């Protein structure tokens, strides 16, 4: 029985998560049941990672990195929309807090952890500066357009876009993300592939046998089931998360940080695995691709959902957050330009991530 479960865990977990979701949907959970639901939620996340990696291996790079990024964005949008509907005006800044947290987690947490893991295995790690630099520039532009400008616009009071400004930001985000995907997959895919002959190349991973078409299709179906389980179970356990944060005396913005940490767990695991296999370019593709998708797809989706959601949509960042964002962009550019990084760069990004988490819970 143990051997059977260890072999088919990736099939069992999403299916059981669906059963747990059906049994707990719409019910108030006591702390013990909430912990059990959270355990199955983490199991569904791990299963999503496994199946996304299987599909990604089948289609190859750079398409593979896009699959998990889009999957994670679906989870993020689902959580934000459901919480905004259920929480009303209390969730006015939830989209901003979650998207900003996603940018900090990906561009500092995942980015720095990947560099650290890669540099610990060898003295330095290499990657394509052209593709990675273009991805970082796109993330910086998207973040500025959607999260910084609302703080300075004057059409509406507060850090809020007017209706026309929100439409422009949403359309611009979609266009920019679409252009990046076209460049990454059609025009210049070589810029997003591992450096040939570099120390970040793993022969074992390179020659691993790809899954069959049948296996890839099965993983795609189970990936969708796992994603539904993640979104649903997160919605079920979210009241307990909110009450726990309130009981701990933490600011409301911490809810967005928790959501972002949860939905980006698959990306973090996949990126660290790639870094351990000396596939640094894939790790950076995952990190920056997730940041890009988190803004370029989430903001348009939230803008569309705001038609039916009552209450304001606060997108503008505060002064502390803007300083962290600006420092992240500058440090990221200095890291990317040489096309290689050492232990130092990884530690710098992780310190920035630590500063973000600390200031999020103790503003």
């Amino acid at each position: 029985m143990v051997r059977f479960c260890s072999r088919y865990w990736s099939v069992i977990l999403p299916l059981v998560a669906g059963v747990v979701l059906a049994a707990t949907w719409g019910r108030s959970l006591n702390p013990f049941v909430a912990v059990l639901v959270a355990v199955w939620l983490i199991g569904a996340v791990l299963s999503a990672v496994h199946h996304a990696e299987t599909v990604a291996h089948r289609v190859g790079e750079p398409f593979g990195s896009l699959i998990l990024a889009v999957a994670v964005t679906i989870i993020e949008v689902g959580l934000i929309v459901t919480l905004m509907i259920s929480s009303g005006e209390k969730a006015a800044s939830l989209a901003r807090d979650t998207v900003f947290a996603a940018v900090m987690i990906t561009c500092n947490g995942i980015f720095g952890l990947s560099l650290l893991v890669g540099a610990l295995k060898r003295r330095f790690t290499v990657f394509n500066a052209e593709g990675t630099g273009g991805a970082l520039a796109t993330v910086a532009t998207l973040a500025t357009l959607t999260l910084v400008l609302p703080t300075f616009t004057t059409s509406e009071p507060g850090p809020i876009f007017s209706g026309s400004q929100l439409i422009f930001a949403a359309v611009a985000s979609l266009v920019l993300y679409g252009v990046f995907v076209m460049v990454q997959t059609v025009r210049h895919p070589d810029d997003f592939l591992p450096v040939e002959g570099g120390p970040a190349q793993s022969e074992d991973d390179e020659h691993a046998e790809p899954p069959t078409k049948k296996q890839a299709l099965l993983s795609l179906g189970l990936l969708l089931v796992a994603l539904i389980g993640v979104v649903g179970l997160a919605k079920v356990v979210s009241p307990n998360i909110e009450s726990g944060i309130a009981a701990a005396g933490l600011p409301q913005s911490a809810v967005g940080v928790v959501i972002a940490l949860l939905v980006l767990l698959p990306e973090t695991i996949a990126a660290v695995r790639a870094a351990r296999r000396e596939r640094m370019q894939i790790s950076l593709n995952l990190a920056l691709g997730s940041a890009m998708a988190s803004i370029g797809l989430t903001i348009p989706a939230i803008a569309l959902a705001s038609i039916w959601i009552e209450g304001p949509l606060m997108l503008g960042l505060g002064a502390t957050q803007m300083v962290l964002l600006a420092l992240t962009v500058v440090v990221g550019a200095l890291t990317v330009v040489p096309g290689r990084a050492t232990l130092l760069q990884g530690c710098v990004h992780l310190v920035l991530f630590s500063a973000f988490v600390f200031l999020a819970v103790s503003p």
Side-chain angles (χ1 to χ4, degrees), residues 220-307:
L220 181 60
L222 289 170
L223 173 61
L224 295 176
V225 174
L227 291 177
I228 292 172
V230 170
V231 174
L233 292 177
K235 173 64 174 67
V236 168
V237 80
S238 60
N240 298 83
I241 295 175
E242 290 180 319
S243 60
I245 288 175
L250 300 177
Q252 184 68 21
S253 60
V255 176
V257 177
V258 172
I259 293 175
L261 286 170
L262 177 63
V263 300
L264 287 169
L265 180 59
E267 293 284 50
T268 304
I269 296 173
V272 171
R273 284 179 178 175
R276 289 180 62 187
R277 295 169 185 160
E278 303 179 43
R279 308 281 286 173
M280 184 54 58
Q281 187 62 48
I282 295 177
S283 293
L284 301 187
N285 288 349
L286 285 168
L288 295 177
S290 296
M292 205 178 308
S294 181
I295 307 173
L297 298 180
T298 300
I299 295 299
I302 297 302
L304 183 63
S306 66
I307 299 175

Side-chain angles (χ1 to χ4, degrees), residues 13-361:
L13 284 179
L15 297 179
V16 175
V19 174
V20 174
L21 174 60
T24 57
W25 184 259
R27 299 186 180 183
S28 178
L29 306 182
N30 61 53
F32 178 74
V33 176
V35 170
L36 293 179
V37 172
V39 170
W40 284 112
L41 173 59
I42 294 172
V45 169
L46 296 176
S47 178
V49 172
H50 173 79
H51 292 299
E53 287 187 329
T54 300
V55 177
H57 192 193
R58 172 67 186 183
V59 301
E61 289 296 326
F63 295 95
S65 298
L66 290 173
I67 293 175
L68 193 53
V70 173
V72 167
T73 303
I74 293 172
I75 299 174
E76 183 178 350
V77 171
L79 288 175
I80 292 174
V81 171
T82 52
L83 288 176
M84 288 181 70
I85 292 174
S86 61
S87 300
E89 291 191 4
K90 290 193 303 181
S93 63
L94 180 63
R96 176 199 67 189
D97 296 334
T98 305
V99 171
F100 178 66
V103 172
M104 291 292 105
I105 293 168
T106 52
C107 293
N108 286 318
I110 300 178
F111 203 95
L113 187 58
S114 297
L115 293 177
L116 182 65
V117 170
L120 285 175
K121 194 160 188 178
R122 293 181 179 263
R123 293 178 62 86
F124 63 90
T125 184
V126 299
F127 45 86
N128 265 312
E130 294 87 352
T132 308
L136 180 63
T138 307
V139 171
T141 302
L142 286 171
T144 303
L145 284 175
T146 58
L147 299 177
V148 176
L149 287 183
T151 303
F152 300 99
T153 54
T154 57
S155 297
E156 295 285 343
I160 299 173
F161 270 146
S162 66
S164 59
Q165 290 169 342
L166 184 60
I167 292 173
F168 171 80
V171 173
S173 298
L174 278 176
V175 170
L176 195 53
Y177 182 74
V179 171
F180 175 81
V181 170
M182 181 188 69
V183 169
Q184 184 183 30
T185 58
V186 179
R187 301 284 292 183
H188 302 283
D190 291 344
D191 290 346
F192 301 90
L193 298 178
V195 177
E196 292 293 334
Q201 186 103 359
S202 171
E203 272 185 41
D204 293 338
D205 186 66
E206 187 72 17
H207 298 295
E209 188 70 22
T212 64
K213 183 178 180 181
K214 182 179 179 181
Q215 291 172 327
L217 289 175
L218 176 61
S219 286
L220 181 60
L222 289 170
L223 173 61
L224 295 176
V225 174
L227 291 177
I228 292 172
V230 170
V231 174
L233 292 177
K235 173 64 174 67
V236 168
V237 80
S238 60
N240 298 83
I241 295 175
E242 290 180 319
S243 60
I245 288 175
L250 300 177
Q252 184 68 21
S253 60
V255 176
V257 177
V258 172
I259 293 175
L261 286 170
L262 177 63
V263 300
L264 287 169
L265 180 59
E267 293 284 50
T268 304
I269 296 173
V272 171
R273 284 179 178 175
R276 289 180 62 187
R277 295 169 185 160
E278 303 179 43
R279 308 281 286 173
M280 184 54 58
Q281 187 62 48
I282 295 177
S283 293
L284 301 187
N285 288 349
L286 285 168
L288 295 177
S290 296
M292 205 178 308
S294 181
I295 307 173
L297 298 180
T298 300
I299 295 299
I302 297 302
L304 183 63
S306 66
I307 299 175
W308 298 279
I309 299 175
E310 297 182 359
L313 179 60
M314 298 175 59
L315 290 177
L317 297 174
T320 302
Q321 295 168 318
M322 283 190 284
V323 169
L324 286 174
L325 178 61
L327 188 57
T328 296
V329 172
V330 172
V331 171
L334 294 175
T335 299
V336 166
V337 167
R340 54 179 284 172
T342 64
L343 188 71
L344 176 61
Q345 283 85 357
C347 290
V348 169
H349 282 281
L350 288 176
V351 167
L352 277 175
F353 172 67
S354 301
F356 158 71
V357 174
F358 177 77
L359 292 174
V361 300

